[in-house]
Structure formats: C-alpha cells, structure tokens
Amino acid sequence: MKKVSLIVQNEEGLHARPVTIFVNAASSFKSNITVIKNSNPDKVYVGKSIISLMSMAASKGDEITIIADGEDEESAVMNLQCVVEGGFSS
C-alpha cells in the first residue's frame, strides 16, 4: 500500500471537472484507489467513482490522502499526485 497526503489548491475545490479527471486517471490503474478527506478514517471514498468523490465535497485547503493498494500502487500514487498538484489539467 502506498499513500500520499496533499492539500487541495484548486480554487473551486473538487467539483465535477477535477473529479472526472481524477477518476479517469485512477481508472487507468489496476490498484484499488481510495481517498480520505482531512485525515478522517471513518470517511473513505472510492477513487474510481465520480459519485463517491463528489460526495466528499473537498474544498480548497482541505487535505486529501490518496491510497493505492495493488500491483501498480507506486505509479498510481505518483500519477494521481501529479494530477492534483497540476491543478487537474487534462
């Protein structure tokens, strides 16, 4: 299992477009991808589900932890970190 914690810098937070970009990137990996908001282990979101990530309602300044578990976990975490830090540009 690999994970990375990041601060959402996107002005509008994780709305439909950034979530779609994140899910498309996450779906390209075999690993299970989960996301936790603000270090709350009771709230785990499915990284390959638009509905799940939209329900997270992450805003600018929120911390998200991306967790990948599987055969390509390292590349998944690195790629998704780049997606978030790159401002969700497609």
Side-chain angles (χ1 to χ4, degrees), residues 1-4 31-34 36 44 65-77:
M1 177 172 45
K2 297 286 184 183
K3 64 182 178 177
V4 63
S31 294
N32 290 323
I33 311 291
T34 54
I36 297 173
V44 178
T65 302
I66 302 166
I67 303 165
D69 189 16
E71 63 185 75
D72 54 0
E73 61 193 22
E74 191 166 331
S75 58
V77 166

Side-chain angles (χ1 to χ4, degrees), residues 36-84:
I36 297 173
K37 178 181 164 188
N38 294 329
S39 302
N40 183 352
D42 294 331
K43 297 280 187 168
V44 178
Y45 302 90
V46 179
K48 296 180 181 182
S49 167
I50 291 173
I51 293 171
S52 182
L53 290 181
M54 289 293 295
S55 72
M56 181 172 53
S59 301
K60 181 177 181 178
D62 284 338
E63 178 186 63
I64 60 170
T65 302
I66 302 166
I67 303 165
D69 189 16
E71 63 185 75
D72 54 0
E73 61 193 22
E74 191 166 331
S75 58
V77 166
M78 287 177 22
N79 182 278
L80 294 171
Q81 179 177 1
C82 288
V83 168
V84 173

